Amino acid sequence: MKKLSVCVLFGGVSPEHEVSLRSAEAVLNNLNPEKYNIFPVGITRDGQWILFGGSDYSMLPNGTWESCPRNRKAALSPVRGQGLLSFENDCVVRERIDVVFPVLHGENGEDGSVQGLLQIAGIPFVGSGVGASSACMDKSMTKLIAQSAGILQARWQMITARSWASRQKACIEAAEEAFSYPVFVKPAGTGSSVGISKAKSREELELSVADALRYGEKVLLEEFIDGQEIEVAVLGNENPCASVCGEIEAGAEFYDYEAKYLSDSASFYIPARISTEKSEQVRETAVKVYTAMECRGLARADFFVRRIDGAVIFNEINTLPGFTSISMYPKLFVASGISYAALLDKLIALAWEE
């Protein structure tokens, strides 16, 4: 069989740049070069596109990949059939690209931006399309769609930058009327827990909202749910399937960026410490959310199982979840009988099919 040419996009102009580099290292180390012609393309923090000329992918997380002497400036052409263009002196080298794997997290990578470019270019890509990517990245849109689909979730409110600037006191009073402390404060458009805070008082709430607004124009306030944190990986296009359930015990105030990537305080349980019946309920709800959001390829859906009554409460969905060596998405499918390398093969096949 002819090898497929796969372009792996990583980095990006996003607060989650470092996470993307770690994810891409693992993806590139697990793609089979006997099956694929692999083109690793990194996007620097200032938006420069580089075709990485090295073979040592451990250079990605520490940033040294950017200075590899064999690098070339690059671009994915929006003109159909042009594929990947790289530039060397006065020459332009064109490579056919069959599938793009955007190992990008957050702004400019997971929000429909890159997906729009690839759609215009007519290049198949791993993951959801423009609409689903945008809606899942915007937590307020996710909430509204989940609500319309009858999916149970935490009570929430939204604060915009404009309303905060003009009537901050009213925003705080509305929040205190709706919720008791602690209150979770989340930027509407970030992943990897970037910018999320747990406010335990009015003073902390004011500081948390101000901090979250650094990441965008909208902030979500959510009620605190005392429950087990459960995650499910979903795979597929028209007929998605859910992995076994995993459980996270944060070992901190909550499962924040530091707990995810910088410390070893969190504990993971696969399968989750819930009953078989509850596990099936969570998995069925994950597929329901995935379908309602019109996701394709992959996503990770996060839930709480409330301690007081066992209710399954949807938290959020990520269309390009982490693929690092410690990330839950690949670990959940490994536990479900699909190896990391086989999972990548399936995702590329789903992109080609879609």
Side-chain angles (χ1 to χ4, degrees):
M1 290 179 63
K2 182 183 73 172
K3 283 187 180 182
L4 287 180
S5 293
V6 178
C7 174
V8 177
L9 277 180
F10 61 88
V13 183
S14 164
E16 298 169 69
H17 182 93
E18 292 93 344
V19 182
S20 172
L21 298 180
R22 296 186 192 186
S23 291
E25 178 192 18
V27 168
L28 288 163
N29 279 326
N30 283 277
L31 281 174
N32 187 346
E34 294 184 3
K35 292 182 180 180
Y36 309 110
N37 296 313
I38 302 166
F39 297 91
V41 175
I43 305 171
T44 65
R45 290 179 183 279
D46 61 358
Q48 301 298 312
W49 289 47
I50 297 172
L51 175 60
F52 176 55
S55 56
D56 180 5
Y57 300 128
S58 68
M59 296 174 70
L60 270 61
N62 62 25
T64 56
W65 69 275
E66 292 187 27
S67 56
C68 177
R70 295 186 299 279
N71 286 350
R72 296 203 297 262
K73 290 185 177 181
L76 281 168
S77 174
V79 180
R80 291 191 172 226
Q82 293 299 301
L84 177 66
L85 307 179
S86 60
F87 307 93
E88 188 172 18
N89 299 322
D90 294 329
C91 298
V92 178
V93 179
R94 185 172 67 84
E95 302 284 357
R96 185 194 81 250
I97 298 297
D98 296 307
V99 174
V100 170
F101 195 147
V103 188
L104 298 166
H105 307 308
E107 184 181 359
N108 298 313
E110 194 176 351
D111 58 4
S113 301
V114 164
Q115 290 75 13
L117 168 63
L118 298 173
Q119 181 176 302
I120 291 169
I123 304 174
F125 56 91
V126 171
S128 294
V130 175
S133 296
S134 178
C136 290
M137 191 69 203
D138 185 332
K139 294 180 177 65
S140 64
M141 293 299 297
T142 303
K143 295 284 189 186
L144 292 171
I145 294 171
Q147 182 176 305
S148 70
I151 295 161
L152 182 63
Q153 51 194 333
R155 291 181 295 115
W156 62 283
Q157 287 185 352
M158 186 176 72
I159 295 176
T160 65
R162 177 175 293 184
S163 63
W164 184 251
S166 61
R167 45 190 184 88
Q168 178 175 325
K169 184 179 179 182
C171 291
I172 293 294
E173 289 175 348
E176 290 181 330
E177 185 176 337
F179 311 117
S180 57
Y181 289 107
V183 177
F184 274 97
V185 182
K186 301 178 177 182
T190 64
S192 297
S193 298
V194 171
I196 295 180
S197 304
K198 184 179 180 182
K200 301 176 182 177
S201 66
R202 172 176 284 208
E203 181 181 10
E204 287 187 5
L205 183 58
E206 291 173 348
L207 292 171
S208 295
V209 172
D211 180 65
L213 283 170
R214 296 190 300 117
Y215 298 97
E217 296 292 308
K218 295 190 291 187
V219 170
L220 251 62
L221 307 183
E222 288 183 349
E223 69 168 322
F224 168 69
I225 301 293
D226 180 17
Q228 293 168 270
E229 294 190 45
I230 309 296
E231 296 189 349
V232 182
V234 185
L235 176 71
N237 290 337
E238 294 296 333
N239 299 294
C241 64
S243 71
V244 300
C245 294
E247 180 182 353
I248 295 167
E249 195 172 83
E253 279 287 328
F254 62 97
Y255 195 42
D256 60 5
Y257 185 92
E258 181 173 350
K260 286 182 178 179
Y261 302 111
L262 303 179
S263 75
D264 57 0
S265 61
S267 299
F268 305 93
Y269 300 91
I270 302 175
R273 298 171 298 179
I274 54 178
S275 69
T276 301
E277 294 76 17
K278 191 61 62 178
S279 177
E280 285 304 305
Q281 184 184 353
V282 174
R283 294 173 71 239
E284 289 171 6
T285 308
V287 171
K288 184 177 180 180
V289 173
Y290 188 91
T291 303
M293 300 302 299
E294 298 185 346
C295 294
R296 292 292 184 271
L298 76 161
R300 193 196 70 238
D302 303 343
F303 298 88
F304 297 107
V305 173
R306 193 160 56 194
R307 298 184 198 282
I308 193 170
D309 58 2
V312 173
I313 299 173
F314 170 58
N315 184 23
E316 60 183 56
I317 187 166
N318 296 274
T319 55
L320 285 172
F323 262 85
T324 70
S325 58
I326 61 169
S327 294
M328 283 293 273
Y329 187 91
K331 287 173 70 173
L332 288 168
F333 270 116
V334 168
S336 302
I338 302 175
S339 71
Y340 193 117
L343 180 60
L344 298 180
D345 290 341
K346 286 181 178 292
L347 289 169
I348 290 168
L350 287 166
W352 189 251
E353 169 193 299
E354 183 71 7

PDB file of all heavy atoms in Angstrom, residues 326-351:
ATOM      1  N   ILE A 326       1.452  11.026  29.716  1.00  0.00           N
ATOM      2  CA  ILE A 326       0.632  10.844  30.926  1.00  0.00           C
ATOM      3  C   ILE A 326      -0.823  11.264  30.707  1.00  0.00           C
ATOM      4  O   ILE A 326      -1.612  11.273  31.647  1.00  0.00           O
ATOM      5  CB  ILE A 326       1.220  11.636  32.108  1.00  0.00           C
ATOM      6  CG1 ILE A 326       1.250  13.142  31.804  1.00  0.00           C
ATOM      7  CG2 ILE A 326       2.602  11.137  32.473  1.00  0.00           C
ATOM      8  CD1 ILE A 326       1.566  14.008  33.015  1.00  0.00           C
ATOM      9  N   SER A 327      -1.180  11.613  29.491  1.00  0.00           N
ATOM     10  CA  SER A 327      -2.535  12.119  29.222  1.00  0.00           C
ATOM     11  C   SER A 327      -3.575  11.009  29.312  1.00  0.00           C
ATOM     12  O   SER A 327      -3.326   9.854  28.937  1.00  0.00           O
ATOM     13  CB  SER A 327      -2.592  12.765  27.841  1.00  0.00           C
ATOM     14  OG  SER A 327      -1.802  13.928  27.793  1.00  0.00           O
ATOM     15  N   MET A 328      -4.767  11.392  29.771  1.00  0.00           N
ATOM     16  CA  MET A 328      -5.821  10.412  29.990  1.00  0.00           C
ATOM     17  C   MET A 328      -6.376   9.833  28.689  1.00  0.00           C
ATOM     18  O   MET A 328      -6.712   8.649  28.636  1.00  0.00           O
ATOM     19  CB  MET A 328      -6.961  11.041  30.806  1.00  0.00           C
ATOM     20  CG  MET A 328      -6.647  11.163  32.282  1.00  0.00           C
ATOM     21  SD  MET A 328      -6.522   9.566  33.127  1.00  0.00           S
ATOM     22  CE  MET A 328      -8.232   9.257  33.569  1.00  0.00           C
ATOM     23  N   TYR A 329      -6.475  10.648  27.634  1.00  0.00           N
ATOM     24  CA  TYR A 329      -7.121  10.127  26.421  1.00  0.00           C
ATOM     25  C   TYR A 329      -6.442   8.856  25.916  1.00  0.00           C
ATOM     26  O   TYR A 329      -7.101   7.803  25.792  1.00  0.00           O
ATOM     27  CB  TYR A 329      -7.176  11.195  25.319  1.00  0.00           C
ATOM     28  CG  TYR A 329      -7.981  10.727  24.121  1.00  0.00           C
ATOM     29  CD1 TYR A 329      -9.347  10.981  24.051  1.00  0.00           C
ATOM     30  CD2 TYR A 329      -7.402   9.989  23.099  1.00  0.00           C
ATOM     31  CE1 TYR A 329     -10.110  10.520  22.981  1.00  0.00           C
ATOM     32  CE2 TYR A 329      -8.152   9.530  22.042  1.00  0.00           C
ATOM     33  CZ  TYR A 329      -9.503   9.789  21.972  1.00  0.00           C
ATOM     34  OH  TYR A 329     -10.251   9.318  20.918  1.00  0.00           O
ATOM     35  N   PRO A 330      -5.142   8.870  25.609  1.00  0.00           N
ATOM     36  CA  PRO A 330      -4.542   7.619  25.135  1.00  0.00           C
ATOM     37  C   PRO A 330      -4.521   6.530  26.204  1.00  0.00           C
ATOM     38  O   PRO A 330      -4.682   5.340  25.887  1.00  0.00           O
ATOM     39  CB  PRO A 330      -3.124   8.033  24.718  1.00  0.00           C
ATOM     40  CG  PRO A 330      -2.867   9.331  25.390  1.00  0.00           C
ATOM     41  CD  PRO A 330      -4.189  10.001  25.541  1.00  0.00           C
ATOM     42  N   LYS A 331      -4.335   6.910  27.475  1.00  0.00           N
ATOM     43  CA  LYS A 331      -4.291   5.901  28.528  1.00  0.00           C
ATOM     44  C   LYS A 331      -5.626   5.169  28.650  1.00  0.00           C
ATOM     45  O   LYS A 331      -5.658   3.953  28.896  1.00  0.00           O
ATOM     46  CB  LYS A 331      -3.934   6.559  29.863  1.00  0.00           C
ATOM     47  CG  LYS A 331      -2.468   6.980  29.967  1.00  0.00           C
ATOM     48  CD  LYS A 331      -2.186   7.771  31.227  1.00  0.00           C
ATOM     49  CE  LYS A 331      -2.265   6.929  32.454  1.00  0.00           C
ATOM     50  NZ  LYS A 331      -1.825   7.674  33.666  1.00  0.00           N
ATOM     51  N   LEU A 332      -6.724   5.891  28.462  1.00  0.00           N
ATOM     52  CA  LEU A 332      -8.043   5.259  28.571  1.00  0.00           C
ATOM     53  C   LEU A 332      -8.272   4.256  27.447  1.00  0.00           C
ATOM     54  O   LEU A 332      -8.870   3.192  27.665  1.00  0.00           O
ATOM     55  CB  LEU A 332      -9.139   6.329  28.563  1.00  0.00           C
ATOM     56  CG  LEU A 332      -9.246   7.171  29.838  1.00  0.00           C
ATOM     57  CD1 LEU A 332     -10.147   8.382  29.623  1.00  0.00           C
ATOM     58  CD2 LEU A 332      -9.741   6.330  31.006  1.00  0.00           C
ATOM     59  N   PHE A 333      -7.784   4.559  26.248  1.00  0.00           N
ATOM     60  CA  PHE A 333      -7.962   3.594  25.162  1.00  0.00           C
ATOM     61  C   PHE A 333      -6.962   2.451  25.249  1.00  0.00           C
ATOM     62  O   PHE A 333      -7.269   1.329  24.839  1.00  0.00           O
ATOM     63  CB  PHE A 333      -7.928   4.282  23.800  1.00  0.00           C
ATOM     64  CG  PHE A 333      -9.299   4.723  23.363  1.00  0.00           C
ATOM     65  CD1 PHE A 333      -9.592   6.063  23.196  1.00  0.00           C
ATOM     66  CD2 PHE A 333     -10.313   3.804  23.156  1.00  0.00           C
ATOM     67  CE1 PHE A 333     -10.863   6.474  22.814  1.00  0.00           C
ATOM     68  CE2 PHE A 333     -11.589   4.196  22.784  1.00  0.00           C
ATOM     69  CZ  PHE A 333     -11.872   5.530  22.607  1.00  0.00           C
ATOM     70  N   VAL A 334      -5.781   2.700  25.792  1.00  0.00           N
ATOM     71  CA  VAL A 334      -4.866   1.594  26.056  1.00  0.00           C
ATOM     72  C   VAL A 334      -5.525   0.610  27.016  1.00  0.00           C
ATOM     73  O   VAL A 334      -5.476  -0.614  26.819  1.00  0.00           O
ATOM     74  CB  VAL A 334      -3.527   2.117  26.624  1.00  0.00           C
ATOM     75  CG1 VAL A 334      -2.696   0.962  27.185  1.00  0.00           C
ATOM     76  CG2 VAL A 334      -2.734   2.848  25.541  1.00  0.00           C
ATOM     77  N   ALA A 335      -6.199   1.155  28.045  1.00  0.00           N
ATOM     78  CA  ALA A 335      -6.910   0.303  29.003  1.00  0.00           C
ATOM     79  C   ALA A 335      -8.108  -0.391  28.370  1.00  0.00           C
ATOM     80  O   ALA A 335      -8.580  -1.414  28.875  1.00  0.00           O
ATOM     81  CB  ALA A 335      -7.368   1.135  30.199  1.00  0.00           C
ATOM     82  N   SER A 336      -8.592   0.149  27.256  1.00  0.00           N
ATOM     83  CA  SER A 336      -9.725  -0.451  26.541  1.00  0.00           C
ATOM     84  C   SER A 336      -9.263  -1.412  25.457  1.00  0.00           C
ATOM     85  O   SER A 336     -10.089  -1.938  24.703  1.00  0.00           O
ATOM     86  CB  SER A 336     -10.587   0.661  25.913  1.00  0.00           C
ATOM     87  OG  SER A 336     -11.052   1.562  26.896  1.00  0.00           O
ATOM     88  N   GLY A 337      -7.941  -1.626  25.356  1.00  0.00           N
ATOM     89  CA  GLY A 337      -7.425  -2.619  24.421  1.00  0.00           C
ATOM     90  C   GLY A 337      -6.861  -2.071  23.127  1.00  0.00           C
ATOM     91  O   GLY A 337      -6.563  -2.843  22.210  1.00  0.00           O
ATOM     92  N   ILE A 338      -6.691  -0.745  23.021  1.00  0.00           N
ATOM     93  CA  ILE A 338      -6.143  -0.141  21.807  1.00  0.00           C
ATOM     94  C   ILE A 338      -4.823   0.523  22.172  1.00  0.00           C
ATOM     95  O   ILE A 338      -4.793   1.449  22.985  1.00  0.00           O
ATOM     96  CB  ILE A 338      -7.105   0.901  21.200  1.00  0.00           C
ATOM     97  CG1 ILE A 338      -8.456   0.264  20.883  1.00  0.00           C
ATOM     98  CG2 ILE A 338      -6.506   1.521  19.942  1.00  0.00           C
ATOM     99  CD1 ILE A 338      -9.509   1.256  20.393  1.00  0.00           C
ATOM    100  N   SER A 339      -3.730   0.073  21.582  1.00  0.00           N
ATOM    101  CA  SER A 339      -2.426   0.638  21.903  1.00  0.00           C
ATOM    102  C   SER A 339      -2.330   2.072  21.401  1.00  0.00           C
ATOM    103  O   SER A 339      -3.125   2.512  20.563  1.00  0.00           O
ATOM    104  CB  SER A 339      -1.316  -0.192  21.258  1.00  0.00           C
ATOM    105  OG  SER A 339      -1.320  -0.014  19.842  1.00  0.00           O
ATOM    106  N   TYR A 340      -1.343   2.797  21.901  1.00  0.00           N
ATOM    107  CA  TYR A 340      -1.142   4.193  21.497  1.00  0.00           C
ATOM    108  C   TYR A 340      -0.961   4.269  19.977  1.00  0.00           C
ATOM    109  O   TYR A 340      -1.611   5.075  19.299  1.00  0.00           O
ATOM    110  CB  TYR A 340       0.080   4.761  22.226  1.00  0.00           C
ATOM    111  CG  TYR A 340       0.223   6.270  22.152  1.00  0.00           C
ATOM    112  CD1 TYR A 340       0.164   7.045  23.306  1.00  0.00           C
ATOM    113  CD2 TYR A 340       0.439   6.923  20.943  1.00  0.00           C
ATOM    114  CE1 TYR A 340       0.305   8.432  23.249  1.00  0.00           C
ATOM    115  CE2 TYR A 340       0.584   8.299  20.879  1.00  0.00           C
ATOM    116  CZ  TYR A 340       0.517   9.041  22.038  1.00  0.00           C
ATOM    117  OH  TYR A 340       0.661  10.400  21.972  1.00  0.00           O
ATOM    118  N   ALA A 341      -0.080   3.435  19.420  1.00  0.00           N
ATOM    119  CA  ALA A 341       0.185   3.470  17.979  1.00  0.00           C
ATOM    120  C   ALA A 341      -1.063   3.099  17.175  1.00  0.00           C
ATOM    121  O   ALA A 341      -1.364   3.725  16.154  1.00  0.00           O
ATOM    122  CB  ALA A 341       1.343   2.534  17.642  1.00  0.00           C
ATOM    123  N   ALA A 342      -1.804   2.096  17.642  1.00  0.00           N
ATOM    124  CA  ALA A 342      -3.029   1.693  16.944  1.00  0.00           C
ATOM    125  C   ALA A 342      -4.083   2.789  17.014  1.00  0.00           C
ATOM    126  O   ALA A 342      -4.860   2.984  16.073  1.00  0.00           O
ATOM    127  CB  ALA A 342      -3.571   0.398  17.548  1.00  0.00           C
ATOM    128  N   LEU A 343      -4.106   3.523  18.127  1.00  0.00           N
ATOM    129  CA  LEU A 343      -5.043   4.638  18.272  1.00  0.00           C
ATOM    130  C   LEU A 343      -4.742   5.721  17.233  1.00  0.00           C
ATOM    131  O   LEU A 343      -5.655   6.271  16.603  1.00  0.00           O
ATOM    132  CB  LEU A 343      -4.955   5.201  19.690  1.00  0.00           C
ATOM    133  CG  LEU A 343      -5.859   6.381  20.036  1.00  0.00           C
ATOM    134  CD1 LEU A 343      -7.329   6.015  19.864  1.00  0.00           C
ATOM    135  CD2 LEU A 343      -5.595   6.848  21.468  1.00  0.00           C
ATOM    136  N   LEU A 344      -3.456   6.029  17.042  1.00  0.00           N
ATOM    137  CA  LEU A 344      -3.077   7.014  16.027  1.00  0.00           C
ATOM    138  C   LEU A 344      -3.506   6.544  14.636  1.00  0.00           C
ATOM    139  O   LEU A 344      -4.008   7.337  13.830  1.00  0.00           O
ATOM    140  CB  LEU A 344      -1.574   7.258  16.064  1.00  0.00           C
ATOM    141  CG  LEU A 344      -0.994   7.837  17.361  1.00  0.00           C
ATOM    142  CD1 LEU A 344       0.512   8.016  17.222  1.00  0.00           C
ATOM    143  CD2 LEU A 344      -1.657   9.162  17.718  1.00  0.00           C
ATOM    144  N   ASP A 345      -3.320   5.252  14.355  1.00  0.00           N
ATOM    145  CA  ASP A 345      -3.748   4.699  13.059  1.00  0.00           C
ATOM    146  C   ASP A 345      -5.250   4.881  12.866  1.00  0.00           C
ATOM    147  O   ASP A 345      -5.710   5.257  11.777  1.00  0.00           O
ATOM    148  CB  ASP A 345      -3.407   3.209  12.978  1.00  0.00           C
ATOM    149  CG  ASP A 345      -1.912   2.931  12.880  1.00  0.00           C
ATOM    150  OD1 ASP A 345      -1.159   3.852  12.522  1.00  0.00           O
ATOM    151  OD2 ASP A 345      -1.514   1.784  13.151  1.00  0.00           O
ATOM    152  N   LYS A 346      -6.018   4.613  13.919  1.00  0.00           N
ATOM    153  CA  LYS A 346      -7.477   4.745  13.819  1.00  0.00           C
ATOM    154  C   LYS A 346      -7.884   6.202  13.581  1.00  0.00           C
ATOM    155  O   LYS A 346      -8.793   6.479  12.790  1.00  0.00           O
ATOM    156  CB  LYS A 346      -8.144   4.201  15.087  1.00  0.00           C
ATOM    157  CG  LYS A 346      -8.141   2.686  15.201  1.00  0.00           C
ATOM    158  CD  LYS A 346      -8.832   2.222  16.477  1.00  0.00           C
ATOM    159  CE  LYS A 346      -8.865   0.702  16.559  1.00  0.00           C
ATOM    160  NZ  LYS A 346      -9.748   0.094  15.520  1.00  0.00           N
ATOM    161  N   LEU A 347      -7.223   7.128  14.263  1.00  0.00           N
ATOM    162  CA  LEU A 347      -7.557   8.543  14.102  1.00  0.00           C
ATOM    163  C   LEU A 347      -7.253   9.032  12.688  1.00  0.00           C
ATOM    164  O   LEU A 347      -8.030   9.790  12.096  1.00  0.00           O
ATOM    165  CB  LEU A 347      -6.796   9.379  15.131  1.00  0.00           C
ATOM    166  CG  LEU A 347      -7.264   9.227  16.581  1.00  0.00           C
ATOM    167  CD1 LEU A 347      -6.285   9.883  17.534  1.00  0.00           C
ATOM    168  CD2 LEU A 347      -8.659   9.807  16.763  1.00  0.00           C
ATOM    169  N   ILE A 348      -6.140   8.592  12.148  1.00  0.00           N
ATOM    170  CA  ILE A 348      -5.794   8.964  10.770  1.00  0.00           C
ATOM    171  C   ILE A 348      -6.785   8.344   9.793  1.00  0.00           C
ATOM    172  O   ILE A 348      -7.220   9.000   8.835  1.00  0.00           O
ATOM    173  CB  ILE A 348      -4.341   8.549  10.468  1.00  0.00           C
ATOM    174  CG1 ILE A 348      -3.377   9.439  11.270  1.00  0.00           C
ATOM    175  CG2 ILE A 348      -4.040   8.639   8.974  1.00  0.00           C
ATOM    176  CD1 ILE A 348      -1.952   8.948  11.290  1.00  0.00           C
ATOM    177  N   ALA A 349      -7.173   7.094  10.034  1.00  0.00           N
ATOM    178  CA  ALA A 349      -8.166   6.445   9.175  1.00  0.00           C
ATOM    179  C   ALA A 349      -9.512   7.162   9.252  1.00  0.00           C
ATOM    180  O   ALA A 349     -10.203   7.328   8.233  1.00  0.00           O
ATOM    181  CB  ALA A 349      -8.316   4.974   9.580  1.00  0.00           C
ATOM    182  N   LEU A 350      -9.907   7.592  10.442  1.00  0.00           N
ATOM    183  CA  LEU A 350     -11.174   8.333  10.601  1.00  0.00           C
ATOM    184  C   LEU A 350     -11.132   9.665   9.872  1.00  0.00           C
ATOM    185  O   LEU A 350     -12.122  10.109   9.288  1.00  0.00           O
ATOM    186  CB  LEU A 350     -11.476   8.554  12.086  1.00  0.00           C
ATOM    187  CG  LEU A 350     -11.935   7.339  12.880  1.00  0.00           C
ATOM    188  CD1 LEU A 350     -11.871   7.607  14.376  1.00  0.00           C
ATOM    189  CD2 LEU A 350     -13.345   6.917  12.477  1.00  0.00           C
ATOM    190  N   ALA A 351      -9.972  10.334   9.909  1.00  0.00           N
ATOM    191  CA  ALA A 351      -9.816  11.601   9.181  1.00  0.00           C
ATOM    192  C   ALA A 351      -9.970  11.365   7.678  1.00  0.00           C
ATOM    193  O   ALA A 351     -10.640  12.130   6.974  1.00  0.00           O
ATOM    194  CB  ALA A 351      -8.453  12.223   9.491  1.00  0.00           C
TER     195      ALA A 351
END
